[in-house]
Amino acid sequence: MTSSDSQPDAFLTAVSVLDSLIRSGMREVVLAPGSRSAPLAYALAAASEAGVVEVHVRIDERTAGFTALGMAKASGRPVGVVTTSGTAVGELMPAVMEANHSEVPLAILSADRPPRLRGTGANQTTWQQGLYGVHVRASADLVSYPEPEPGDQTVAFTECLAALTGRDSAAWDRPSNRPLGPVQINVAFDVPLTPEPRMRDTLRAWADSVTDLSRPVAPRRADRTVTEALDDSEHEEAATAAEASSAAASVVPGAEAVRTVVVAGDGAGPLARMFAEAADLPLLAEPSSGARSGPNAVGAYQLLLEGEMGDQIERVVLFGRPTLSRSVDHLLHRDDVESVIYLPRPVAWALPDRRPETPVETLVEARRFAGRPPRSWLERWHAEDARADSDLQRALTAARDRNGRLNGPLVARAVREAMADDGLALVCGSSNLIRDLDLVPIDPQTAHDPMVWSNRGLAGIDGTVATASGIALARREPLRLLLGDLTLLHDAGSLLFGPGETVPDLQIIVFNDSGGGIFSTLEHGNIAKADGWAGAVERFFGTPHDADVERLVTAHGHRYMQADDEDALRAALATPIRGISVIEVRGTREGLAEERAEWKNIVARDSHPGSR
């Protein structure tokens, strides 16, 4: 049995690990309390006192994980999560999985018992090293760190630092070929776990020594063809040449008249909008794409894809990850539509050879593939978009009047109007409401829309309140969160903040239809219509509840408002956002599936795109 005398001092280990992370750009840490992680906690206390890092304490590890996820999403920098040993480490799995698929640099600092206790049945001791498997970019089991001479532990820890910063571990100044993502740094601590007086002074001296560090800028892979691809002059010459001579169409790149659209999925970024505008193409952009604005964006595209405009598409240029609409998924898998996906670097959410699109690494390749659109292509999309939105608005208003309650799309429109008025960003839950937001009309005169985030990595409702809290804390400005009742209840514990903790300025809008409305719009809604199955579908999928949102909110010490109509909702949205406030809008799931089917039918019935 190994003696604890061979184990480095727990505080030397804690400081060595934190020092490297801080020098790699970590400025925020979320800590869930525990005894085995005490060396990290004391070191972080000293660093926090010196202003080196900002530390947030959360009782629940799942809340801690998603809070850190939100911070890292907003900042793009590594954010740490500290837990004690045992089941606490497992509580972080959902946040780690989301971070993996959404490429978020989350640093899991899991405290562990010393190796001599593993496999002995010792209290709160399990095999937690490597727990997250394929969902982390790298992992290190630091059982005796720092090493007298760099060895396997040092190599593994360096791999973790590289994965968090996008660096090549073998050549620190070169960008990595793998996407950013989470890592697990499992750190074994032996007793003593509390600092003696001399060690307390040492911790403060160390914290003072890293106060003036400059924030490192990690290298990034760059597509050097972006400027060329967005340069209109070269492509205008090609189009002019094509019109002057039909023979030119066979020799001038991009000269053919092709009905191409740009699809911008989650995380596409503003480059997708710039590309669509440069190529004069319709832009079909999801709310969390970062590209849903400008003169080329089409608001009701998911409905238009079901009609004749969708049928006429010949090519698609895809940016980011599309996850919201079955109509987009159908488009990308159509045999008569060619598509490319712009992948200047590897991504975590898919293997290129498993996607229907052809990957292209440079933007100029995508531009040449897109070709030249027919003269009226974009104008026709805008005309049909305006008609579809007018029809949809009438249908939404009729549904409101019929039910005597607001529906999700009307709530989403009110929230979007508030964002346009005050410029505040939004986090949206991953269920019906993000799809409702995807139907909101787009003002072509708006230069840049406020940012919209959503956990689309795995599109779960886990940790949505915590994610929004983390984003608001990282940005240090007010933020809105739009979500459903089940999403709120699933993460109700994230409404809890201890005395002295920084509470984000967060306005939460809850559309409460007393259950999971999205399931009635899927195939399960058809099963519910079969004899004898309605009760089972309602219980197992609808998951009805009688939770009192007002009591839940006020029990956590936050402000509550109820909005029963559009005027009340607009007034509530306009209230100053200080601390956490919750606006509840009560809706209904009755007739939801039929209403959404009717919205699609209205658009299809009234669509008149003209001749091909």
Side-chain angles (χ1 to χ4, degrees):
M1 185 175 293
T2 305
S3 169
S4 63
D5 293 340
S6 64
Q7 187 96 359
D9 182 273
F11 292 92
L12 172 61
T13 298
V15 165
S16 298
V17 170
L18 292 174
D19 188 89
S20 295
L21 286 166
I22 290 169
R23 293 177 188 277
S24 296
M26 185 181 75
R27 294 293 181 270
E28 293 91 15
V29 178
V30 186
L31 180 144
S35 180
R36 187 56 52 170
S37 53
L40 290 168
Y42 284 112
L44 284 169
S48 176
E49 184 181 89
V52 176
V53 294
E54 188 168 354
V55 181
H56 302 266
V57 178
R58 297 292 183 270
I59 293 174
D60 176 55
E61 286 82 9
R62 190 172 69 172
T63 291
F66 278 102
T67 301
L69 176 84
M71 288 179 170
K73 269 179 174 280
S75 69
R77 297 191 304 267
V79 175
V81 187
V82 174
T83 74
T84 190
S85 62
T87 58
V89 186
E91 293 286 348
L92 297 179
M93 179 63 89
V96 170
M97 294 172 71
E98 176 64 28
N100 172 27
H101 287 267
S102 55
E103 303 179 3
V104 175
L106 193 64
I108 306 302
L109 292 163
S110 53
D112 202 354
R113 307 283 163 146
R116 62 185 176 81
L117 295 179
R118 293 177 182 175
T120 67
N123 183 51
Q124 209 168 309
T125 306
T126 187
W127 303 103
Q128 62 187 52
Q129 67 275 21
L131 178 68
Y132 304 113
V134 298
H135 293 291
V136 290
R137 301 286 179 274
S139 62
D141 188 22
L142 306 184
V143 297
S144 182
Y145 190 84
E147 298 174 291
E149 296 292 335
D152 291 344
Q153 295 177 67
T154 303
V155 170
F157 185 35
T158 302
E159 286 287 344
C160 290
L161 298 175
L164 289 169
T165 57
R167 297 178 182 273
D168 185 333
S169 60
W172 206 245
D173 291 330
R174 284 205 317 243
S176 172
N177 287 324
R178 62 184 173 181
L180 291 174
V183 303
Q184 181 190 9
I185 304 165
N186 193 62
V187 192
F189 294 121
D190 209 338
V191 293
L193 300 175
T194 55
E196 298 297 327
R198 186 174 178 180
M199 179 55 71
R200 296 172 211 162
D201 294 337
T202 301
L203 292 176
R204 287 197 168 98
W206 161 73
D208 290 340
S209 73
V210 291
T211 53
D212 297 324
L213 292 178
S214 60
R215 295 184 177 182
V217 178
R220 291 288 182 265
R221 293 169 61 91
D223 177 2
R224 302 185 185 280
T225 74
V226 169
T227 301
E228 177 186 352
L230 299 179
D231 183 2
D232 287 340
S233 59
E234 176 183 343
H235 301 279
E236 285 293 332
E237 292 174 6
T240 302
E243 292 173 358
S245 171
S246 59
S250 62
V251 296
V252 179
E256 310 86 17
V258 185
R259 296 181 180 90
T260 303
V261 297
V262 177
V263 172
D266 180 67
L271 184 61
R273 171 184 166 175
M274 296 166 65
F275 180 90
E277 292 177 5
D280 200 30
L281 297 174
L283 173 62
L284 319 183
E286 295 183 356
S288 61
S289 65
R292 190 181 167 89
S293 61
N296 291 55
V298 178
Y301 70 87
Q302 61 171 283
L303 299 182
L304 296 179
L305 287 176
E306 304 279 353
E308 293 183 55
M309 292 305 295
D311 292 341
Q312 295 182 43
I313 296 172
E314 296 173 319
R315 292 183 185 176
V316 177
V317 179
L318 173 62
F319 292 79
R321 181 188 182 191
T323 63
L324 290 184
S325 167
R326 290 189 177 186
S327 56
V328 169
D329 186 65
H330 173 70
L331 171 67
L332 295 172
H333 284 86
R334 271 171 47 185
D335 292 336
D336 63 331
V337 174
E338 298 178 274
S339 58
V340 298
I341 180 172
Y342 177 60
L343 290 178
R345 57 174 180 78
V347 294
W349 49 267
L351 300 173
D353 61 355
R354 302 282 292 171
R355 294 284 309 177
E357 311 87 14
T358 300
V360 295
E361 293 186 2
T362 65
L363 200 64
V364 75
E365 291 177 88
R367 182 70 188 266
R368 288 170 180 162
F369 168 84
R372 177 178 59 85
R375 285 185 177 275
S376 60
W377 182 233
L378 179 59
E379 289 74 14
R380 287 163 58 197
W381 274 91
H382 280 321
E384 289 306 309
D385 187 30
R387 181 179 289 112
D389 181 66
S390 177
D391 292 342
L392 181 60
Q393 180 65 42
R394 284 195 295 271
L396 297 175
T397 302
R400 177 203 63 193
D401 295 342
R402 182 170 57 251
N403 296 323
R405 295 188 178 189
L406 292 177
N407 48 56
L410 288 179
V411 173
R413 289 178 178 225
V415 170
R416 183 61 193 82
E417 289 171 8
M419 293 168 63
D421 289 340
D422 55 30
L424 295 184
L426 175 74
V427 175
C428 192
S430 290
S431 194
N432 263 343
L433 288 166
I434 187 73
R435 292 165 175 82
D436 294 338
L437 199 65
D438 200 27
L439 290 171
V440 172
I442 297 168
D443 182 357
Q445 304 305 317
T446 302
H448 297 286
D449 268 10
M451 189 67 181
V452 176
W453 284 276
S454 186
N455 281 341
R456 302 305 301 171
L458 286 176
I461 64 173
D462 314 51
T464 304
V465 176
T467 300
S469 296
I471 291 173
L473 290 168
R475 286 167 57 88
R476 292 176 169 79
E477 59 184 48
L479 181 75
R480 286 190 176 93
L481 167 61
L482 174 63
L483 79 176
D485 49 298
L486 292 186
T487 306
L488 173 70
L489 295 175
H490 197 281
D491 197 26
S494 294
L495 294 172
L496 179 61
F497 295 83
E501 294 302 311
T502 302
V503 178
D505 293 327
L506 180 64
Q507 184 184 75
I508 303 175
I509 304 96
V510 183
F511 182 66
N512 183 3
D513 56 6
S514 300
I518 193 170
F519 293 108
S520 65
T521 68
L522 303 176
E523 294 83 356
H524 312 290
N526 294 326
I527 301 297
K529 297 174 184 176
D531 290 342
W533 285 95
V537 172
E538 172 68 356
R539 181 186 177 199
F540 293 118
F541 295 96
T543 53
H545 65 85
D546 295 319
D548 189 321
V549 173
E550 180 178 7
R551 289 185 178 182
L552 175 67
V553 171
T554 56
H556 286 87
H558 305 307
R559 187 157 52 107
Y560 169 87
M561 292 170 278
Q562 183 177 328
D564 293 324
D565 55 45
E566 283 145 305
D567 289 340
L569 178 56
R570 291 190 184 99
L573 289 167
T575 58
I577 303 176
R578 300 187 185 94
I580 289 181
S581 58
V582 176
I583 304 169
E584 182 183 13
V585 183
R586 294 177 182 173
T588 179
R589 289 183 285 127
E590 291 296 325
L592 181 61
E594 292 76 15
E595 287 174 0
R596 291 183 182 255
E598 177 61 17
W599 302 340
K600 292 184 180 181
N601 291 336
I602 288 174
V603 172
R605 184 171 64 242
D606 293 345
S607 181
H608 303 289
S611 60
R612 290 191 62 170

